Amino acid sequence: MLFNTIGFFAFLIVVLVLYYLAPLTWKAKKIMLLAASYLFYGLWNPPLIALLVISTLVDWTAGNQLAKTEDHAKRRYWLLLSIIVNLGFLGFFKYGNFMLENFQQLVALFGVEYTPPKWDILLPMGISFYTFQTMSYTIDLYFKRIQPARTFLDFALYVTFFPQLVAGPIVRSDELVPQFYEPKRASQQQFFTGLLLLTIGLFQKTVFADSLLSPVSDSVFGSKDLLLPLDAWTGVLAFSGQIFFDFAGYSLCAIGIANMLGFTLSDNFRYPYGSVGFSDLWRRWHISLSSWLRDYLYIPLGGNRFGVSRTYVNLMLTMLLGGLWHGAAWTFVAWGFLHGLYLALERFFKNYVSIKTDSQTVQLLLAFLTFNCVNITWVFFRAKDFGSALRLLGSMFFLHGDKPVLTTNHLVLALLLMTMVFLGHFFMRRYALVDVLQRTPGWLLVAGWGIMIFALMVVQTTGQQFIYFQF
Protein backbone atom coordinates (compact mmCIF):
# COMPACT_ATOMS: atom_id res chain seq x y z
CA MET A 1 0.00 0.00 0.00
CA LEU A 2 1.39 3.39 -1.00
CA PHE A 3 1.13 6.56 1.10
CA ASN A 4 0.25 8.59 -2.00
CA THR A 5 -3.05 6.81 -2.71
CA ILE A 6 -6.66 7.28 -1.67
CA GLY A 7 -6.70 3.72 -0.36
CA PHE A 8 -3.99 4.48 2.17
CA PHE A 9 -5.85 7.50 3.51
CA ALA A 10 -8.95 5.37 4.02
CA PHE A 11 -6.74 2.84 5.83
CA LEU A 12 -5.12 5.56 7.97
CA ILE A 13 -8.48 7.08 8.96
CA VAL A 14 -9.74 3.68 10.11
CA VAL A 15 -6.55 3.10 12.12
CA LEU A 16 -6.79 6.54 13.76
CA VAL A 17 -10.47 6.10 14.60
CA LEU A 18 -9.83 2.70 16.20
CA TYR A 19 -6.73 3.99 17.97
CA TYR A 20 -8.33 7.07 19.50
CA LEU A 21 -12.06 6.42 19.67
CA ALA A 22 -12.49 2.68 20.19
CA PRO A 23 -12.68 1.63 23.89
CA LEU A 24 -9.59 -0.56 23.73
CA THR A 25 -6.94 -1.36 26.29
CA TRP A 26 -3.35 -0.44 25.46
CA LYS A 27 -2.56 -4.09 24.69
CA ALA A 28 -5.57 -4.27 22.38
CA LYS A 29 -4.44 -1.09 20.62
CA LYS A 30 -1.02 -2.58 20.04
CA ILE A 31 -2.61 -5.73 18.63
CA MET A 32 -4.69 -3.53 16.36
CA LEU A 33 -1.54 -1.67 15.18
CA LEU A 34 0.20 -4.98 14.55
CA ALA A 35 -2.76 -6.30 12.55
CA ALA A 36 -2.90 -3.00 10.63
CA SER A 37 0.82 -3.29 9.86
CA TYR A 38 0.41 -6.81 8.48
CA LEU A 39 -2.59 -5.64 6.45
CA PHE A 40 -0.60 -2.66 5.16
CA TYR A 41 2.16 -4.99 3.95
CA GLY A 42 -0.07 -7.87 2.92
CA LEU A 43 -2.23 -5.82 0.56
CA TRP A 44 0.83 -5.57 -1.66
CA ASN A 45 1.57 -9.33 -1.67
CA PRO A 46 -0.08 -11.46 1.06
CA PRO A 47 2.19 -14.56 0.93
CA LEU A 48 5.26 -12.47 1.72
CA ILE A 49 3.87 -11.72 5.18
CA ALA A 50 5.39 -15.12 6.01
CA LEU A 51 8.87 -13.58 5.69
CA LEU A 52 8.01 -10.94 8.28
CA VAL A 53 6.62 -13.58 10.62
CA ILE A 54 9.65 -15.87 10.25
CA SER A 55 12.10 -13.00 10.73
CA THR A 56 10.18 -11.86 13.81
CA LEU A 57 10.04 -15.32 15.37
CA VAL A 58 13.72 -16.09 14.70
CA ASP A 59 15.01 -12.80 16.07
CA TRP A 60 12.66 -12.87 19.07
CA THR A 61 13.87 -16.35 19.97
CA ALA A 62 17.51 -15.52 19.32
CA GLY A 63 17.22 -12.29 21.30
CA ASN A 64 15.72 -14.04 24.32
CA GLN A 65 18.45 -16.66 24.28
CA LEU A 66 21.14 -14.00 23.99
CA ALA A 67 19.64 -12.17 26.96
CA LYS A 68 19.54 -15.32 29.12
CA THR A 69 22.76 -17.21 28.43
CA GLU A 70 26.31 -16.23 29.28
CA ASP A 71 27.88 -19.16 27.44
CA HIS A 72 30.01 -17.62 24.68
CA ALA A 73 29.56 -20.49 22.24
CA LYS A 74 25.78 -20.48 22.60
CA ARG A 75 25.64 -16.70 22.29
CA ARG A 76 27.61 -16.88 19.08
CA TYR A 77 25.31 -19.63 17.77
CA TRP A 78 22.16 -17.57 18.36
CA LEU A 79 23.69 -14.47 16.80
CA LEU A 80 24.80 -16.44 13.74
CA LEU A 81 21.34 -17.96 13.42
CA SER A 82 19.78 -14.50 13.32
CA ILE A 83 22.32 -13.17 10.82
CA ILE A 84 22.15 -16.24 8.57
CA VAL A 85 18.33 -16.25 8.43
CA ASN A 86 18.07 -12.51 7.76
CA LEU A 87 20.92 -12.31 5.25
CA GLY A 88 19.76 -15.61 3.75
CA PHE A 89 16.35 -14.14 2.93
CA LEU A 90 17.99 -10.98 1.63
CA GLY A 91 20.48 -12.88 -0.48
CA PHE A 92 17.90 -15.29 -1.92
CA PHE A 93 15.28 -12.75 -2.90
CA LYS A 94 17.46 -9.77 -3.77
CA TYR A 95 20.76 -11.16 -4.99
CA GLY A 96 19.95 -14.63 -6.28
CA ASN A 97 19.63 -13.63 -9.93
CA PHE A 98 22.63 -11.30 -9.67
CA MET A 99 24.84 -14.10 -8.33
CA LEU A 100 23.66 -16.55 -11.01
CA GLU A 101 24.35 -14.08 -13.80
CA ASN A 102 27.85 -13.35 -12.50
CA PHE A 103 28.56 -17.06 -12.03
CA GLN A 104 27.52 -17.63 -15.64
CA GLN A 105 29.92 -14.91 -16.83
CA LEU A 106 32.71 -16.28 -14.63
CA VAL A 107 32.55 -19.85 -15.92
CA ALA A 108 32.25 -18.52 -19.48
CA LEU A 109 35.77 -17.13 -19.09
CA PHE A 110 36.96 -20.73 -18.79
CA GLY A 111 35.00 -21.85 -21.84
CA VAL A 112 32.15 -23.42 -19.90
CA GLU A 113 28.65 -22.80 -21.21
CA TYR A 114 26.13 -22.57 -18.41
CA THR A 115 22.53 -21.42 -18.67
CA PRO A 116 21.17 -20.57 -15.21
CA PRO A 117 17.57 -21.41 -14.36
CA LYS A 118 15.06 -18.63 -14.70
CA TRP A 119 15.00 -16.68 -11.45
CA ASP A 120 11.46 -15.34 -11.52
CA ILE A 121 11.08 -14.42 -7.84
CA LEU A 122 9.35 -11.29 -6.63
CA LEU A 123 11.51 -9.00 -4.48
CA PRO A 124 9.69 -8.43 -1.17
CA MET A 125 9.06 -4.75 -0.67
CA GLY A 126 11.36 -3.17 1.91
CA ILE A 127 13.23 -6.40 2.71
CA SER A 128 16.56 -4.55 3.02
CA PHE A 129 15.08 -2.24 5.63
CA TYR A 130 13.40 -4.65 7.98
CA THR A 131 16.21 -7.24 7.82
CA PHE A 132 18.75 -4.60 8.88
CA GLN A 133 16.38 -3.42 11.59
CA THR A 134 15.86 -6.86 13.13
CA MET A 135 19.54 -7.76 12.80
CA SER A 136 20.47 -4.66 14.80
CA TYR A 137 18.34 -5.99 17.66
CA THR A 138 20.17 -9.31 18.00
CA ILE A 139 23.59 -7.75 17.40
CA ASP A 140 22.97 -5.16 20.14
CA LEU A 141 21.82 -7.91 22.51
CA TYR A 142 24.91 -9.95 21.72
CA PHE A 143 27.13 -7.03 22.73
CA LYS A 144 24.82 -6.26 25.70
CA ARG A 145 24.06 -2.74 24.53
CA ILE A 146 20.31 -3.03 25.08
CA GLN A 147 17.68 -4.85 27.09
CA PRO A 148 15.40 -7.35 25.31
CA ALA A 149 11.84 -6.35 24.47
CA ARG A 150 9.49 -7.13 27.34
CA THR A 151 6.88 -8.97 25.29
CA PHE A 152 6.63 -10.64 21.90
CA LEU A 153 3.90 -8.15 20.96
CA ASP A 154 6.23 -5.20 21.55
CA PHE A 155 8.97 -6.80 19.47
CA ALA A 156 6.62 -7.84 16.65
CA LEU A 157 5.27 -4.30 16.47
CA TYR A 158 8.83 -2.97 16.37
CA VAL A 159 9.58 -5.15 13.33
CA THR A 160 6.38 -4.37 11.43
CA PHE A 161 5.36 -0.82 12.50
CA PHE A 162 3.66 0.25 9.28
CA PRO A 163 4.75 3.91 8.95
CA GLN A 164 8.41 2.94 8.48
CA LEU A 165 8.11 -0.72 7.50
CA VAL A 166 9.00 -0.63 3.82
CA ALA A 167 11.45 2.29 3.47
CA GLY A 168 12.64 3.27 6.93
CA PRO A 169 13.94 5.04 8.82
CA ILE A 170 15.83 1.95 10.06
CA VAL A 171 14.99 2.33 13.72
CA ARG A 172 17.07 0.87 16.55
CA SER A 173 15.11 -1.15 19.08
CA ASP A 174 16.12 1.04 22.04
CA GLU A 175 14.58 4.02 20.23
CA LEU A 176 11.19 2.48 19.43
CA VAL A 177 10.46 -0.59 21.58
CA PRO A 178 10.31 1.35 24.89
CA GLN A 179 7.69 3.62 23.32
CA PHE A 180 5.35 0.61 23.15
CA TYR A 181 5.51 -0.06 26.89
CA GLU A 182 3.20 2.76 27.96
CA PRO A 183 0.00 4.08 26.33
CA LYS A 184 0.71 6.73 23.72
CA ARG A 185 -1.63 9.50 22.72
CA ALA A 186 -0.51 12.40 20.56
CA SER A 187 -0.97 15.87 21.96
CA GLN A 188 -2.86 18.30 19.76
CA GLN A 189 0.39 19.95 18.69
CA GLN A 190 2.07 16.61 17.99
CA PHE A 191 -0.90 15.38 15.96
CA PHE A 192 -1.07 18.47 13.77
CA THR A 193 2.72 18.59 13.39
CA GLY A 194 2.51 14.99 12.20
CA LEU A 195 -0.28 15.83 9.79
CA LEU A 196 1.75 18.74 8.45
CA LEU A 197 4.84 16.55 8.00
CA LEU A 198 2.68 14.00 6.16
CA THR A 199 1.43 16.79 3.87
CA ILE A 200 4.95 18.08 3.21
CA GLY A 201 6.18 14.57 2.46
CA LEU A 202 3.36 13.89 0.01
CA PHE A 203 3.91 17.30 -1.59
CA GLN A 204 7.60 16.57 -2.07
CA LYS A 205 6.88 13.16 -3.55
CA THR A 206 3.88 13.97 -5.72
CA VAL A 207 4.57 17.51 -6.91
CA PHE A 208 8.36 17.83 -6.95
CA ALA A 209 9.58 14.25 -7.50
CA ASP A 210 6.84 12.79 -9.71
CA SER A 211 5.34 15.75 -11.54
CA LEU A 212 8.19 18.24 -12.02
CA LEU A 213 11.47 16.32 -11.97
CA SER A 214 10.66 12.76 -13.03
CA PRO A 215 9.82 13.66 -16.67
CA VAL A 216 13.13 15.53 -17.03
CA SER A 217 15.15 12.72 -15.45
CA ASP A 218 13.39 10.02 -17.47
CA SER A 219 13.99 11.85 -20.76
CA VAL A 220 17.72 12.12 -20.18
CA PHE A 221 18.38 8.70 -18.64
CA GLY A 222 16.09 7.06 -21.20
CA SER A 223 18.02 8.47 -24.15
CA LYS A 224 20.26 6.08 -26.08
CA ASP A 225 22.21 8.85 -27.81
CA LEU A 226 24.85 11.35 -26.81
CA LEU A 227 23.30 14.49 -25.41
CA LEU A 228 24.01 18.18 -25.26
CA PRO A 229 26.00 18.95 -22.08
CA LEU A 230 23.24 21.21 -20.74
CA ASP A 231 20.63 18.48 -21.24
CA ALA A 232 22.86 15.86 -19.63
CA TRP A 233 23.64 17.93 -16.54
CA THR A 234 20.03 19.04 -16.19
CA GLY A 235 18.80 15.46 -16.31
CA VAL A 236 21.28 14.37 -13.66
CA LEU A 237 20.35 17.34 -11.47
CA ALA A 238 16.69 16.47 -11.96
CA PHE A 239 17.29 12.92 -10.74
CA SER A 240 19.28 14.28 -7.83
CA GLY A 241 16.22 16.28 -6.82
CA GLN A 242 13.81 13.48 -7.68
CA ILE A 243 15.45 10.90 -5.44
CA PHE A 244 15.80 13.38 -2.58
CA PHE A 245 12.17 14.53 -2.69
CA ASP A 246 10.99 10.95 -3.19
CA PHE A 247 12.92 9.40 -0.30
CA ALA A 248 12.93 12.37 2.08
CA GLY A 249 9.23 12.71 1.31
CA TYR A 250 8.63 9.11 2.36
CA SER A 251 10.62 9.64 5.56
CA LEU A 252 8.60 12.73 6.42
CA CYS A 253 5.38 10.78 5.81
CA ALA A 254 6.60 8.00 8.12
CA ILE A 255 7.65 10.42 10.86
CA GLY A 256 4.40 12.35 10.50
CA ILE A 257 2.15 9.27 10.71
CA ALA A 258 4.07 8.04 13.76
CA ASN A 259 3.61 11.47 15.36
CA MET A 260 -0.13 11.30 14.74
CA LEU A 261 -0.18 8.05 16.73
CA GLY A 262 1.92 9.53 19.53
CA PHE A 263 5.26 7.91 18.59
CA THR A 264 8.57 9.53 17.71
CA LEU A 265 10.86 8.51 14.86
CA SER A 266 14.24 10.15 14.31
CA ASP A 267 15.08 12.34 11.33
CA ASN A 268 16.40 10.58 8.25
CA PHE A 269 17.47 13.67 6.24
CA ARG A 270 18.95 16.98 7.34
CA TYR A 271 19.39 19.15 4.25
CA PRO A 272 22.03 16.85 2.65
CA TYR A 273 22.65 18.90 -0.48
CA GLY A 274 24.05 21.71 1.64
CA SER A 275 26.75 19.42 3.04
CA VAL A 276 30.28 20.76 3.34
CA GLY A 277 32.20 17.61 2.48
CA PHE A 278 31.30 13.95 2.12
CA SER A 279 31.50 12.91 5.75
CA ASP A 280 29.05 15.73 6.40
CA LEU A 281 26.87 14.41 3.58
CA TRP A 282 26.60 10.99 5.19
CA ARG A 283 25.60 12.58 8.48
CA ARG A 284 22.69 14.14 6.61
CA TRP A 285 21.61 11.68 3.88
CA HIS A 286 19.70 8.51 4.83
CA ILE A 287 20.97 8.96 8.36
CA SER A 288 19.52 5.70 9.67
CA LEU A 289 21.39 3.65 7.03
CA SER A 290 24.68 5.55 7.28
CA SER A 291 24.68 5.22 11.09
CA TRP A 292 23.82 1.49 10.74
CA LEU A 293 26.76 0.96 8.36
CA ARG A 294 29.02 2.90 10.70
CA ASP A 295 28.02 1.02 13.86
CA TYR A 296 27.60 -2.50 12.47
CA LEU A 297 30.17 -2.58 9.66
CA TYR A 298 32.75 0.23 9.66
CA ILE A 299 33.54 0.15 13.40
CA PRO A 300 33.61 -3.68 13.64
CA LEU A 301 36.01 -3.71 10.67
CA GLY A 302 38.32 -1.54 12.74
CA GLY A 303 37.16 1.96 11.84
CA ASN A 304 40.08 4.35 12.07
CA ARG A 305 41.81 2.52 14.94
CA PHE A 306 44.49 0.64 12.96
CA GLY A 307 46.28 3.23 10.92
CA VAL A 308 45.64 5.34 7.86
CA SER A 309 45.77 2.60 5.22
CA ARG A 310 43.40 0.34 7.14
CA THR A 311 41.03 3.28 7.60
CA TYR A 312 40.88 3.81 3.84
CA VAL A 313 40.22 0.12 3.27
CA ASN A 314 37.44 0.11 5.88
CA LEU A 315 35.83 3.19 4.34
CA MET A 316 35.93 1.62 0.90
CA LEU A 317 34.54 -1.74 2.04
CA THR A 318 31.74 -0.04 3.95
CA MET A 319 30.67 2.09 1.01
CA LEU A 320 30.99 -0.78 -1.49
CA LEU A 321 28.65 -2.90 0.63
CA GLY A 322 26.44 0.14 1.12
CA GLY A 323 26.19 0.45 -2.65
CA LEU A 324 25.37 -3.24 -3.03
CA TRP A 325 22.70 -2.88 -0.33
CA HIS A 326 20.87 -0.51 -2.67
CA GLY A 327 20.62 -2.90 -5.57
CA ALA A 328 21.86 -6.12 -7.14
CA ALA A 329 23.89 -4.53 -9.94
CA TRP A 330 27.50 -3.50 -10.44
CA THR A 331 26.37 0.06 -11.14
CA PHE A 332 25.35 0.33 -7.48
CA VAL A 333 28.75 -1.02 -6.46
CA ALA A 334 30.33 1.69 -8.62
CA TRP A 335 28.14 4.27 -6.86
CA GLY A 336 29.40 2.97 -3.51
CA PHE A 337 33.00 2.92 -4.77
CA LEU A 338 32.83 6.59 -5.72
CA HIS A 339 31.46 7.55 -2.31
CA GLY A 340 34.18 5.49 -0.63
CA LEU A 341 36.78 7.20 -2.81
CA TYR A 342 35.35 10.62 -1.95
CA LEU A 343 35.48 9.87 1.77
CA ALA A 344 39.06 8.57 1.53
CA LEU A 345 40.21 11.62 -0.47
CA GLU A 346 38.49 13.96 1.95
CA ARG A 347 40.23 12.29 4.91
CA PHE A 348 43.57 12.50 3.06
CA PHE A 349 43.23 16.21 2.33
CA LYS A 350 42.12 16.98 5.87
CA ASN A 351 45.25 15.24 7.18
CA TYR A 352 47.72 16.87 4.81
CA VAL A 353 46.15 20.09 3.53
CA SER A 354 45.08 22.93 5.79
CA ILE A 355 42.01 24.82 4.54
CA LYS A 356 40.32 27.49 6.62
CA THR A 357 36.59 26.88 6.40
CA ASP A 358 35.40 29.63 8.76
CA SER A 359 34.30 31.82 5.87
CA GLN A 360 30.78 31.23 4.62
CA THR A 361 32.02 31.85 1.08
CA VAL A 362 34.53 29.01 1.40
CA GLN A 363 31.86 26.77 2.90
CA LEU A 364 29.51 27.60 0.02
CA LEU A 365 32.20 26.72 -2.54
CA LEU A 366 32.98 23.45 -0.77
CA ALA A 367 29.27 22.63 -0.58
CA PHE A 368 28.92 23.34 -4.30
CA LEU A 369 31.87 21.05 -5.05
CA THR A 370 30.39 18.32 -2.82
CA PHE A 371 26.99 18.68 -4.48
CA ASN A 372 28.40 18.31 -7.98
CA CYS A 373 30.56 15.32 -7.05
CA VAL A 374 27.48 13.66 -5.57
CA ASN A 375 25.57 14.36 -8.78
CA ILE A 376 28.22 12.42 -10.71
CA THR A 377 27.60 9.39 -8.50
CA TRP A 378 23.87 9.56 -9.19
CA VAL A 379 24.63 8.71 -12.84
CA PHE A 380 25.60 5.17 -11.81
CA PHE A 381 22.73 4.93 -9.34
CA ARG A 382 20.09 5.73 -11.97
CA ALA A 383 21.59 4.30 -15.17
CA LYS A 384 20.41 0.86 -16.30
CA ASP A 385 23.94 -0.33 -17.10
CA PHE A 386 27.53 0.84 -17.40
CA GLY A 387 27.13 1.63 -21.08
CA SER A 388 24.32 4.07 -20.37
CA ALA A 389 26.21 5.59 -17.44
CA LEU A 390 29.41 6.12 -19.43
CA ARG A 391 27.47 7.56 -22.37
CA LEU A 392 25.80 10.09 -20.08
CA LEU A 393 29.08 10.97 -18.36
CA GLY A 394 30.59 11.45 -21.80
CA SER A 395 27.81 13.86 -22.67
CA MET A 396 28.43 15.76 -19.43
CA PHE A 397 32.20 16.14 -19.92
CA PHE A 398 33.67 14.95 -23.21
CA LEU A 399 31.44 13.82 -26.07
CA HIS A 400 28.49 15.93 -27.06
CA GLY A 401 25.37 15.20 -29.06
CA ASP A 402 23.71 17.69 -31.37
CA LYS A 403 19.99 17.27 -30.71
CA PRO A 404 18.25 18.53 -27.56
CA VAL A 405 15.98 16.14 -25.69
CA LEU A 406 14.67 18.64 -23.15
CA THR A 407 12.36 21.54 -23.81
CA THR A 408 13.20 25.05 -22.65
CA ASN A 409 10.51 24.76 -19.97
CA HIS A 410 12.08 21.56 -18.64
CA LEU A 411 15.52 23.15 -18.56
CA VAL A 412 14.42 26.31 -16.79
CA LEU A 413 12.16 24.52 -14.32
CA ALA A 414 14.66 21.84 -13.29
CA LEU A 415 17.66 24.17 -13.07
CA LEU A 416 15.75 26.82 -11.13
CA LEU A 417 14.28 24.28 -8.70
CA MET A 418 17.62 22.56 -8.06
CA THR A 419 19.38 25.89 -7.56
CA MET A 420 16.79 26.71 -4.91
CA VAL A 421 17.24 23.25 -3.35
CA PHE A 422 21.02 23.65 -3.13
CA LEU A 423 20.90 27.16 -1.65
CA GLY A 424 18.00 26.25 0.64
CA HIS A 425 19.87 23.21 1.99
CA PHE A 426 23.05 25.20 2.50
CA PHE A 427 21.48 28.03 4.47
CA MET A 428 19.10 25.74 6.40
CA ARG A 429 21.61 23.03 7.28
CA ARG A 430 21.93 24.12 10.92
CA TYR A 431 18.19 23.93 11.57
CA ALA A 432 15.72 21.10 12.13
CA LEU A 433 12.55 21.16 10.03
CA VAL A 434 10.22 20.71 13.00
CA ASP A 435 11.87 23.59 14.84
CA VAL A 436 11.48 25.81 11.80
CA LEU A 437 7.79 24.87 11.49
CA GLN A 438 7.18 25.61 15.17
CA ARG A 439 8.78 29.07 14.85
CA THR A 440 6.89 29.96 11.67
CA PRO A 441 4.02 32.44 12.17
CA GLY A 442 0.65 30.68 12.24
CA TRP A 443 -0.82 32.61 9.32
CA LEU A 444 2.17 31.74 7.10
CA LEU A 445 2.04 28.09 8.14
CA VAL A 446 -1.67 27.84 7.30
CA ALA A 447 -1.15 29.59 3.97
CA GLY A 448 1.71 27.26 2.99
CA TRP A 449 -0.26 24.23 4.14
CA GLY A 450 -3.23 25.30 2.04
CA ILE A 451 -1.05 25.79 -1.03
CA MET A 452 0.41 22.30 -0.66
CA ILE A 453 -3.02 20.72 -0.27
CA PHE A 454 -4.29 22.62 -3.30
CA ALA A 455 -1.26 21.49 -5.35
CA LEU A 456 -1.83 17.85 -4.29
CA MET A 457 -5.44 18.12 -5.45
CA VAL A 458 -4.52 19.73 -8.78
CA VAL A 459 -1.59 17.51 -9.76
CA GLN A 460 -2.63 14.42 -11.65
CA THR A 461 -0.96 11.40 -10.06
CA THR A 462 -1.35 7.65 -10.42
CA GLY A 463 0.25 6.88 -7.07
CA GLN A 464 3.76 6.18 -8.33
CA GLN A 465 5.80 3.85 -6.17
CA PHE A 466 8.49 5.37 -3.96
CA ILE A 467 11.95 4.77 -5.43
CA TYR A 468 13.39 3.19 -2.29
CA PHE A 469 10.64 0.55 -2.13
CA GLN A 470 12.74 -1.48 -4.57
CA PHE A 471 15.54 -1.68 -2.02
Side-chain angles (χ1 to χ4, degrees):
M1 188 181 294
L2 303 176
F3 289 163
N4 51 327
T5 59
I6 298 298
F8 173 75
F9 276 90
F11 165 84
L12 182 59
I13 290 170
V14 172
V15 170
L16 290 172
V17 168
L18 291 174
Y19 189 77
Y20 283 111
L21 300 182
L24 302 174
T25 64
W26 179 234
K27 182 177 180 180
K29 287 184 178 181
K30 289 193 290 186
I31 293 174
M32 182 273 295
L33 287 177
L34 181 62
S37 298
Y38 280 124
L39 177 63
F40 173 82
Y41 194 78
L43 285 175
W44 175 66
N45 194 297
L48 293 179
I49 290 177
L51 293 181
L52 278 176
V53 174
I54 294 171
S55 182
T56 302
L57 290 172
V58 168
D59 289 318
W60 168 252
T61 304
N64 283 346
Q65 294 299 321
L66 286 167
K68 288 191 302 184
T69 183
E70 294 295 330
D71 183 274
H72 181 70
K74 290 181 178 179
R75 290 175 61 79
R76 173 176 275 184
Y77 164 79
W78 287 109
L79 176 63
L80 286 175
L81 175 66
S82 170
I83 292 175
I84 289 171
V85 169
N86 284 292
L87 293 185
F89 281 152
L90 191 61
F92 178 79
F93 285 98
K94 189 169 183 176
Y95 301 104
N97 190 58
F98 177 69
M99 289 187 287
L100 281 175
E101 288 177 353
N102 282 276
F103 178 75
Q104 180 186 25
Q105 295 172 7
L106 178 64
V107 298
L109 295 176
F110 299 95
V112 178
E113 293 187 7
Y114 168 69
T115 302
K118 187 177 181 181
W119 198 269
D120 190 17
I121 297 177
L122 185 66
L123 178 65
M125 188 179 290
I127 189 172
S128 297
F129 289 90
Y130 66 74
T131 52
F132 270 34
Q133 183 156 308
T134 56
M135 278 172 52
S136 72
Y137 175 76
T138 51
I139 294 172
D140 284 345
L141 280 172
Y142 178 80
F143 289 107
K144 300 183 179 181
R145 298 168 182 158
I146 61 171
Q147 294 296 316
R150 292 179 184 175
T151 69
F152 177 74
L153 176 58
D154 293 322
F155 179 71
L157 189 53
Y158 160 70
V159 175
T160 61
F161 191 48
F162 75 87
Q164 48 80 228
L165 173 59
V166 292
I170 304 170
V171 186
R172 309 290 176 88
S173 63
D174 58 341
E175 297 173 358
L176 185 56
V177 171
Q179 295 188 56
F180 298 139
Y181 293 158
E182 302 294 336
K184 290 292 184 294
R185 186 181 184 90
S187 65
Q188 185 177 19
Q189 180 179 359
Q190 186 182 17
F191 186 90
F192 281 103
T193 298
L195 186 58
L196 178 56
L197 291 176
L198 175 59
T199 306
I200 295 172
L202 290 173
F203 179 81
Q204 289 184 343
K205 161 66 175 172
T206 304
V207 178
F208 286 155
D210 292 347
S211 299
L212 299 183
L213 295 173
S214 178
V216 181
S217 170
D218 290 346
S219 296
V220 168
F221 281 92
S223 176
K224 297 182 179 179
D225 302 315
L226 290 172
L227 304 172
L228 295 173
L230 182 60
D231 283 7
W233 273 101
T234 302
V236 174
L237 284 168
F239 178 72
S240 178
Q242 179 191 359
I243 195 168
F244 167 74
F245 285 123
D246 187 285
F247 193 21
Y250 177 91
S251 295
L252 284 179
C253 289
I255 294 168
I257 295 165
N259 273 6
M260 293 166 70
L261 292 166
F263 301 99
T264 301
L265 300 179
S266 57
D267 289 342
N268 210 22
F269 290 86
R270 294 175 188 157
Y271 306 106
Y273 289 151
S275 301
V276 181
F278 303 101
S279 55
D280 188 31
L281 172 77
W282 284 103
R283 288 190 290 267
R284 297 174 178 276
W285 177 276
H286 201 347
I287 299 166
S288 62
L289 174 64
S290 59
S291 63
W292 198 101
L293 293 172
R294 178 197 65 205
D295 295 342
Y296 300 105
L297 187 57
Y298 176 69
I299 292 176
L301 284 172
N304 59 0
R305 300 190 302 275
F306 300 105
V308 175
S309 298
R310 178 70 178 273
T311 298
Y312 293 152
V313 170
N314 293 340
L315 282 172
M316 191 62 69
L317 285 174
T318 300
M319 295 313 299
L320 286 172
L321 290 172
L324 193 60
W325 176 90
H326 283 85
W330 288 110
T331 50
F332 288 106
V333 177
W335 175 83
F337 171 82
L338 285 176
H339 275 285
L341 180 64
Y342 290 160
L343 288 167
L345 289 173
E346 179 185 68
R347 182 173 288 268
F348 174 83
F349 281 111
K350 282 184 176 179
N351 289 336
Y352 297 102
V353 180
S354 178
I355 300 177
K356 293 184 178 180
T357 59
D358 297 337
S359 166
Q360 190 172 65
T361 301
V362 173
Q363 291 180 355
L364 182 62
L365 290 173
L366 290 174
F368 184 72
L369 175 62
T370 304
F371 180 53
N372 281 284
C373 288
V374 169
N375 285 325
I376 293 172
T377 71
W378 287 133
V379 173
F380 291 97
F381 195 96
R382 174 64 173 81
K384 294 180 179 179
D385 49 49
F386 277 107
S388 301
L390 294 176
R391 184 168 57 248
L392 183 53
L393 286 172
S395 298
M396 294 165 67
F397 292 104
F398 308 110
L399 306 171
H400 304 155
D402 53 8
K403 294 182 179 180
V405 297
L406 298 178
T407 65
T408 301
N409 287 341
H410 279 157
L411 289 169
V412 172
L413 185 63
L415 292 174
L416 179 61
L417 178 57
M418 291 312 299
T419 299
M420 293 172 62
V421 167
F422 168 70
L423 292 175
H425 280 211
F426 179 78
F427 289 108
M428 292 291 292
R429 70 190 191 281
R430 294 185 177 89
Y431 304 96
L433 177 59
V434 173
D435 293 338
V436 172
L437 294 176
Q438 291 176 348
R439 291 198 300 266
T440 302
W443 66 268
L444 184 58
L445 204 61
V446 171
W449 201 342
I451 291 172
M452 287 188 291
I453 293 174
F454 178 75
L456 288 170
M457 295 171 63
V458 169
V459 169
Q460 298 295 317
T461 177
T462 57
Q464 294 185 44
Q465 181 171 293
F466 287 82
I467 293 174
Y468 264 70
F469 279 19
Q470 65 187 294
F471 307 137

